[in-house]
Amino acid sequence: MRYLRSVSPPSGDWTTRHSVLTMARRAAALVNVLTADRPDPDEVAEVLRAYGEREPLDLAGDDIADLRAAAVLLREVFLAADVDIAAATLNRLLSENTGPLRLTSHDGGTPWHPHLDRADDGPWGAWLLASSCLALTVLVWDHQRPPGRLCASSDCRQVFVTQGAGPERRYCSRRCATRERVAAHRRAKRSQGPS
């Protein structure tokens, strides 16, 4: 699956699976699969499982529509041209779509962690929007730059998290970066003419 190509599913350790960076990467993976022309419920469930959501994951058509609406809003954060636009977009999403910051352990089923959705058993879309906004907000705060971007490859519409180890990335995956390098090399060769 394309969305898993550029992200490594988190390890089994709870703190790794629920780190801010992992939650931001989950947001990008869900935005990619949910903003496709026809989101496949099985692909959505696969992403959710890869990022630690527990079974049962019986996603009905209404759940997918709710998640898709949230993903469309979150995509705006990844498309932000600069940190000011990313912050303004997150502020709007937080103001219009989330509840107050609270801690939950899901009735003792997990370690305590922050939530911005209004209830532990709320709709999928509200959960995705609130948890993703929280993670993306922390990344903006921590790094003072947009938390992600659209892949620079002309053939790709995937968003990805730019923050993490190494230099800031322009492409969602090595595959897209390689494809662009090869295309640039071929263009340069053609412009030089025959040898």
Side-chain angles (χ1 to χ4, degrees):
M1 307 207 104
R2 184 169 189 171
Y3 61 86
L4 291 177
R5 185 180 60 178
S6 61
V7 274
S8 300
S11 73
D13 176 39
W14 194 93
T15 56
T16 303
R17 284 187 297 121
H18 295 282
S19 73
V20 170
L21 191 54
T22 299
M23 294 300 89
R25 287 179 176 148
R26 180 197 64 202
L30 285 168
V31 164
N32 289 332
V33 74
L34 286 161
T35 57
D37 287 336
R38 290 186 189 150
D40 181 342
D42 291 336
E43 288 182 15
V44 174
E46 186 176 334
V47 172
L48 291 169
R49 281 186 204 99
Y51 283 90
E53 287 304 310
R54 295 182 180 156
E55 298 290 348
L57 287 176
D58 299 321
L59 299 170
D62 288 347
D63 297 324
I64 298 298
D66 198 30
L67 284 163
R68 189 176 202 287
V72 167
L73 294 172
L74 289 167
R75 188 172 174 83
E76 294 176 44
V77 179
F78 289 96
L79 299 181
D82 61 44
V83 69
D84 294 335
I85 295 170
T89 303
L90 282 164
N91 281 339
R92 179 177 47 82
L93 293 175
L94 289 164
S95 166
E96 295 173 358
N97 299 289
T98 64
L101 182 63
R102 64 188 175 82
L103 289 168
T104 183
S105 68
H106 299 282
D107 295 323
T110 66
W112 287 99
H113 60 281
H115 266 238
L116 284 172
D117 49 352
R118 290 177 171 82
D120 284 354
D121 60 352
W124 279 105
W127 162 81
L128 174 59
L129 195 53
S131 63
S132 298
C133 281
L134 180 59
L136 296 171
T137 295
V138 171
L139 289 181
V140 168
W141 172 20
D142 197 35
H143 298 279
Q144 296 297 301
R145 64 181 193 233
R149 68 166 19 141
L150 179 66
C151 182
S153 175
S154 58
D155 295 338
C156 185
R157 303 292 306 146
Q158 303 287 303
V159 298
F160 64 99
V161 175
T162 56
Q163 299 167 14
E168 188 172 345
R169 296 173 25 214
R170 294 184 52 227
Y171 301 100
C172 70
S173 66
R174 286 186 183 134
R175 181 177 174 189
C176 280
T178 300
R179 185 174 57 239
E180 289 298 313
R181 265 194 314 276
V182 168
H185 177 73
R186 287 180 181 156
R187 282 191 301 274
K189 248 184 139 170
R190 277 193 306 267
S191 70
Q192 293 172 355
S195 343

